Amino acid sequence: MEFYHAFFTLTLVHLLGAASPGPDFVMVSQQSLVHGRRSGLLVSLGIALGLSVHIIYSSIGLATVISDSAIVLSGMKYLAAAYLIYLGIKGIRSKAAVGDEQLVEVKSRSAAKLIAMGFVCNALNPKAPLYFLSVFTLVVSPDMPVFELFLLGVWMMFIQLVWFSSVALVLSKPSVQAKFKRVGHWVDRVLGSVMLAFGVKLLFTSTTK
């Protein structure tokens, strides 16, 4: 498959994949609605960087090994489920903020911590190896130069970053923020419940083909 063909195919497939509802989307929505633009954008950056983990092992041919390894996938599944359940419980326990207390608290969080939240959420996704195995099988040929493979990987990360940054910017608009300001803790609780549901569902979902 020629590079330009692979490029456009991957763009379409990954746009659909990035836009699909999942833990990443819930996390960005939660951070943007409740904690503001800075938090949403930094978490989005972390999610895009987390994608690099899957791109690297897929590029060197480990996606097949990982997707066929029950032990590796089970380990990823339990780690991801535990992390999502932790985030879910944390959201459910959210309390109403006094004044701008909630936004002040988030501003005190380091950029590294917020980026790490997004990174871990994406990197631990146990369904990613199967997704990337399918995508790379579809668009990557055995004789594709390493440089072109690198460009495709960076492009996927860029698509991910643009999509979730757009979500963060829309949900953190002043007009949207104003509507959610007084019910921010309820948004946290609802989206925390969704995150918890993702974690529990993951515990009982098979990661095999």
Side-chain angles (χ1 to χ4, degrees), residues 23-32 35 37-50 109 111 113-122 161 164-165 168:
D24 290 345
F25 184 84
V26 174
M27 176 175 282
V28 172
S29 299
Q30 179 188 41
Q31 293 299 314
S32 302
H35 305 305
R37 179 176 301 177
R38 173 180 177 271
S39 184
L41 290 176
L42 287 173
V43 167
S44 298
L45 176 59
I47 289 171
L49 292 175
R109 294 181 189 174
K113 183 175 181 179
L114 290 167
I115 292 172
M117 285 176 60
F119 182 91
V120 173
C121 186
N122 186 276
L161 177 61
F164 284 114
S165 292

Side-chain angles (χ1 to χ4, degrees), residues 93-99 101-102 181-186 189:
R93 296 178 62 187
S94 178
K95 297 179 180 179
V98 178
E101 175 187 322
Q102 206 166 29
K181 188 174 182 180
R182 294 185 178 181
V183 295
H185 61 295
W186 286 109
R189 291 174 182 177

Side-chain angles (χ1 to χ4, degrees), residues 22-23 44 58 60 77 92 101 110 120 152 156:
S44 298
S58 297
I60 60 179
K77 181 179 80 169
I92 291 172
E101 175 187 322
S110 68
V120 173
L152 290 178
M156 291 179 77

Side-chain angles (χ1 to χ4, degrees), residues 4-200:
Y4 77 89
H5 190 186
F7 178 85
F8 287 113
T9 301
L10 181 141
T11 298
L12 177 60
V13 171
H14 194 56
L15 269 174
L16 294 174
S20 299
D24 290 345
F25 184 84
V26 174
M27 176 175 282
V28 172
S29 299
Q30 179 188 41
Q31 293 299 314
S32 302
L33 282 171
V34 181
H35 305 305
R37 179 176 301 177
R38 173 180 177 271
S39 184
L41 290 176
L42 287 173
V43 167
S44 298
L45 176 59
I47 289 171
L49 292 175
L51 212 64
S52 65
V53 174
H54 309 298
I55 292 169
I56 290 172
Y57 66 62
S58 297
S59 299
I60 60 179
L62 291 179
T64 304
V65 176
I66 295 174
S67 63
D68 287 336
S69 173
I71 295 177
V72 173
L73 283 180
S74 293
M76 291 178 66
K77 181 179 80 169
Y78 291 124
L79 283 173
Y83 185 63
L84 293 176
I85 290 172
Y86 162 74
L87 292 176
I89 293 175
K90 190 175 180 181
I92 291 172
R93 296 178 62 187
S94 178
K95 297 179 180 179
V98 178
D100 293 328
E101 175 187 322
Q102 206 166 29
L103 288 178
V104 171
E105 177 190 346
V106 174
K107 287 180 180 178
S108 67
R109 294 181 189 174
S110 68
K113 183 175 181 179
L114 290 167
I115 292 172
M117 285 176 60
F119 182 91
V120 173
C121 186
N122 186 276
L124 287 181
N125 185 352
K127 294 188 179 297
L130 295 176
Y131 168 74
F132 279 88
L133 174 61
S134 301
V135 171
F136 273 60
T137 300
L138 177 66
V139 303
V140 176
S141 59
D143 58 343
M144 178 174 283
V146 175
F147 179 67
E148 292 185 357
L149 196 58
F150 172 77
L151 288 179
L152 290 178
V154 171
W155 180 241
M156 291 179 77
M157 293 172 65
F158 180 73
I159 290 173
Q160 198 89 349
L161 177 61
V162 169
W163 166 252
F164 284 114
S165 292
S166 299
V167 172
L169 290 173
V170 169
L171 295 182
S172 62
K173 283 184 176 181
S175 57
V176 177
Q177 284 281 295
K179 294 179 181 179
F180 283 92
K181 188 174 182 180
R182 294 185 178 181
V183 295
H185 61 295
W186 286 109
V187 175
D188 239 348
R189 291 174 182 177
V190 171
L191 294 180
S193 298
V194 175
M195 196 75 77
L196 178 62
F198 275 125
V200 172

